[in-house]
Amino acid sequence: MALTESLDRGPTDVPLIEQTIGDFFDDMARRQGARDALVSAHEGRRLSYLELQRESNRLASALLTLGLAPGDRVGIWSHNNVAWVLMQIATAKVGIILVNINPAYRTAELEYALNKVGCKALVTMPQFKTSDYLGMLRELGPQRLPLLQHIAWIDKEGAGDEVAGVQRFSALLAGGDPEDPRIAQIGRTLKATDPVNIQFTSGTTGFPKGATLTHRNILNNGFFIGECMKLTPEDRLCIPVPLYHCFGMVLGNLACLTHGATIVYPNDGFDPLTVLQTVQAERCTGLHGVPTMFIAELDHPRFKEFDLSTLRTGIMAGSPCPIEVMKRVVDQMHLSEITIAYGMTETSPVSCQSSTDTPLDKRVATVGKVQPYLEVKIVDPETGAIVAPGTSGELCTRGYSVMHGYWEDAEKTREAIDAEGWMHTGDLATMDAEGYVNIVGRIKDLVIRGGENIYPREIEEFLYRHPKIQDVQVVGLPDRKYGEELCAWVIVKPGQAATADEIRDFCKGQIAHYKVPKYIEFVKEFPMTVTGKIQKFKIREAMKQQLGIDEEKTA
């Protein structure tokens, strides 16, 4: 039945999971015992479901032996590896709250995050590329991290020198007992509604906020995400996206673990070549990524060497998914059943997702429909009234996925979640009469030029059609005459060259004159977070500085 207003509710035919993550995982391990649960290609490690269960229990025991108790916070500061998954499962089993620390954080951000939520222990990589994690912790010292009592560094099977005052992760693990009776005793006291995870949201202004998520939040979200992908124990999902973010941890790990499927990590950090190699070697059936990752894989000079014919499904998410990129992924990577997911950390994270049988035109042009047991509405940002189908407004969502709240920040929680339980996302979207949702941008990204509302997403989608353009981002810059003018940052395809006039000529007669970018910059890369989210505010700041734009004088 056609919708008469932009409000839709997800199906409720499959019951919600009311177990804790630990109990649900133990049930799955009993059913899937000998099957591969985890393959970490860069570490050369494979664990069956029973082995993953045993090692998780061993770590849970070790954490209790450190003196940690249910409700305590423990940080994980690492890229993708076996230790990360063990921490995810072990902490959940004994009611310890896992705190995801962004591997891109430096000393001031680390100090803020650990102290904000009162982390008593931290598991960390020793270093990664130019980041010296142990060095940063030494620099902060106990004076600036007064609550942190234990640090364990992730070693490679006992390799590497001893580090003063810091325990090896392998030694920590060895001190645990997989048969420890305390694990089951504590497990019986836990509830699905207990907090299990804190993720810091990367706000463009102010300090990051600690979104606190429960077992019920992320376990159900992982399950329904896997349902959309039609995952089974036969599936092997390649996960090159970072685990510290919901994409890797929920859309990846929990989607697999709730379906008895296999988690596959191609590397600790993203590298397009190892993704292609691992998909072929492990015969992966699924692949996750943000658009920039899929672009890097498709345009890799060795792309055609690899057999990707086992691929079927996966998720493209993390930032708006360009239609042209989606088409290439379906055609050239065999991902005929790839889905698009939309959400935010505060909603565990997915609110809308296309499914494997969503018609291709809807799958490449929308973020699908509302997920089970959730509600989504599109409202006028000024009045809060629900808008008609096809009309743009702010997307709000309600249901089991909405976070427990921001850690010890009732005021910010009230600003985000209204009295009726609706999470206000800050995203501009439309909903059609069938319930398909399309994200048109951030409220803050909307460009108003001479009274015309312009959605940068629309211009980006058009420019992706240019044969020389690999990637593009459009922002608004302050302008004295029109209020704002459009600026496009363009990455051209390898071996190609283009001029600004060439791009403008491509636009003429195809899109309205006021939508043609005034400024066109050719760049090698975009500023982005570790998860692949483009930081448009940094593009804006860089251009204002380059062009000598003084915002106050143009206002």
Side-chain angles (χ1 to χ4, degrees):
M1 200 169 70
L3 299 174
T4 56
E5 58 179 5
S6 295
L7 168 67
D8 201 12
R9 295 177 178 86
T12 55
D13 49 329
V14 178
L16 281 168
I17 301 166
E18 300 296 352
Q19 288 175 288
T20 61
I21 289 171
D23 285 348
F24 191 94
F25 175 72
D26 285 344
D27 285 349
M28 187 59 74
R30 277 190 283 275
R31 295 205 301 275
Q32 299 299 333
R35 280 186 176 271
D36 281 351
L38 173 64
V39 177
S40 182
H42 59 290
E43 295 175 288
R45 296 192 62 190
R46 289 171 189 275
L47 284 86
S48 68
Y49 268 86
L50 282 176
E51 287 167 338
L52 185 58
Q53 181 188 39
R54 188 171 179 81
E55 290 306 289
S56 301
N57 285 345
R58 189 190 302 280
L59 180 56
S61 168
L63 294 172
L64 294 175
T65 302
L66 286 180
L68 297 167
D72 284 344
R73 277 76 63 205
V74 174
I76 175 80
W77 194 24
S78 172
H79 283 291
N80 300 7
N81 49 38
V82 171
W84 215 111
V85 194
L86 294 180
M87 285 289 288
Q88 184 178 356
I89 300 169
T91 51
K93 277 175 168 268
V94 290
I96 292 169
I97 299 172
L98 185 68
V99 182
N100 302 10
I101 307 291
N102 186 332
Y105 275 6
R106 294 298 177 260
T107 49
E109 298 154 314
L110 177 69
E111 178 184 7
Y112 171 81
L114 293 176
N115 289 334
K116 170 70 180 170
V117 301
C119 277
K120 287 189 178 178
L122 177 69
V123 172
T124 180
M125 295 185 292
Q127 75 280 318
F128 184 79
K129 295 183 178 172
T130 59
S131 301
D132 178 2
Y133 296 104
L134 291 175
M136 284 185 258
L137 285 162
R138 270 194 300 273
E139 188 183 325
L140 288 170
Q143 295 79 22
R144 288 167 67 182
L145 299 172
L147 301 170
L148 189 64
Q149 299 165 13
H150 307 280
I151 300 171
W153 65 281
I154 301 167
D155 57 326
K156 292 178 181 171
E157 303 290 319
D161 298 330
E162 295 300 326
V163 181
V166 183
Q167 189 177 17
R168 289 175 179 273
F169 184 77
S170 60
L172 172 68
L173 199 54
D177 173 11
E179 308 296 333
D180 191 333
R182 293 177 297 177
I183 301 168
Q185 286 164 9
I186 291 170
R188 286 192 286 273
T189 70
L190 304 178
K191 302 188 297 294
T193 51
D194 291 338
V196 72
N197 182 223
I198 295 173
Q199 301 197 28
F200 285 96
T201 59
S202 51
T204 55
T205 57
F207 289 107
K209 301 181 289 287
T212 307
L213 304 171
T214 66
H215 295 261
R216 193 171 187 261
N217 283 153
I218 59 177
L219 184 61
N220 280 289
N221 209 248
F223 173 75
F224 286 118
I225 287 160
E227 290 291 281
C228 270
M229 296 165 66
K230 293 190 168 58
L231 288 184
T232 74
E234 303 300 322
D235 280 300
R236 302 169 72 79
L237 179 63
C238 183
I239 305 173
V241 294
L243 296 178
Y244 87 84
H245 186 266
C246 270
F247 199 166
M249 177 186 171
V250 181
L251 286 75
N253 288 355
L254 287 178
C256 286
L257 296 177
T258 52
H259 289 80
T262 305
I263 294 164
V264 181
Y265 301 142
N267 213 327
D268 39 13
F270 175 67
D271 172 64
L273 182 58
T274 53
V275 171
L276 297 168
Q277 289 168 333
T278 304
V279 166
Q280 176 177 284
E282 292 297 328
R283 301 188 62 72
C284 292
T285 58
L287 175 61
H288 281 358
V290 297
T292 50
M293 289 179 175
F294 282 108
I295 290 167
E297 291 149 16
L298 285 160
D299 290 338
H300 194 277
R302 293 180 55 192
F303 175 77
K304 288 188 167 62
E305 292 177 28
F306 296 97
D307 178 4
L308 309 180
S309 61
T310 54
L311 286 177
R312 168 184 73 81
T313 189
I315 295 174
M316 192 187 295
S319 59
C321 304
I323 293 168
E324 294 304 314
V325 177
M326 272 293 285
K327 288 177 180 170
R328 289 180 69 196
V329 164
V330 170
D331 293 343
Q332 298 172 37
M333 297 182 82
H334 306 279
L335 286 162
S336 58
E337 297 183 355
I338 193 167
T339 74
I340 285 186
Y342 160 78
M344 62 192 304
T345 305
E346 291 90 336
T347 55
S348 305
V350 172
S351 306
C352 299
Q353 189 175 353
S354 57
S355 73
T356 58
D357 47 17
T358 300
L360 188 62
D361 61 326
K362 296 286 189 188
R363 199 151 17 114
V364 300
T366 76
V367 293
K369 295 185 178 184
V370 61
Q371 275 263 22
Y373 291 94
L374 301 179
E375 295 174 273
V376 162
K377 65 178 180 178
I378 313 294
V379 302
D380 183 311
E382 300 296 317
T383 65
I386 299 173
V387 299
T391 306
S392 169
E394 183 182 17
L395 187 147
C396 300
T397 185
R398 180 168 73 175
Y400 78 83
S401 72
V402 175
M403 67 176 176
H404 189 71
Y406 291 121
W407 185 263
E408 292 184 349
D409 200 334
E411 186 185 340
K412 286 278 191 286
T413 302
R414 277 193 300 272
E415 285 174 20
I417 304 168
D418 67 24
E420 294 178 331
W422 289 98
M423 176 79 207
H424 290 252
T425 67
D427 286 318
L428 283 167
T430 59
M431 182 185 290
D432 69 14
E434 293 178 80
Y436 286 100
V437 175
N438 186 28
I439 306 300
V440 295
R442 295 284 296 165
I443 288 175
K444 290 173 185 166
D445 288 342
L446 177 70
V447 176
I448 305 174
R449 181 193 182 277
E452 297 280 2
N453 284 7
I454 305 171
Y455 300 109
R457 173 89 193 269
E458 181 191 350
I459 318 300
E460 290 161 2
E461 291 288 5
F462 173 75
L463 290 174
Y464 273 114
R465 299 180 198 168
H466 193 289
K468 291 183 179 179
I469 290 179
Q470 176 176 304
D471 211 348
V472 59
Q473 292 294 318
V474 173
V475 299
L477 297 177
D479 182 78
R480 187 172 292 175
K481 183 177 179 183
Y482 292 105
E484 285 185 285
E485 278 283 12
L486 291 176
C487 168
W489 271 24
V490 173
I491 298 175
V492 294
K493 288 181 178 171
Q496 299 275 7
T499 65
D501 285 342
E502 198 178 330
I503 306 297
R504 287 192 195 93
D505 288 344
F506 180 75
C507 298
K508 281 176 187 164
Q510 300 290 317
I511 57 176
H513 70 91
Y514 63 84
K515 294 180 182 176
V516 179
K518 178 178 179 180
Y519 306 103
I520 296 174
E521 264 313 279
F522 294 96
V523 297
K524 297 289 184 202
E525 59 186 7
F526 303 131
M528 61 176 72
T529 64
V530 176
T531 52
K533 274 202 168 80
I534 311 290
Q535 295 173 303
K536 288 198 169 189
F537 71 98
K538 287 193 176 176
I539 296 177
R540 248 180 245 114
E541 291 306 314
M543 287 307 295
K544 276 161 47 181
Q545 197 171 351
Q546 182 179 319
L547 297 166
I549 295 172
D550 185 331
E551 201 143 359
E552 288 179 13
K553 288 182 181 172
T554 57

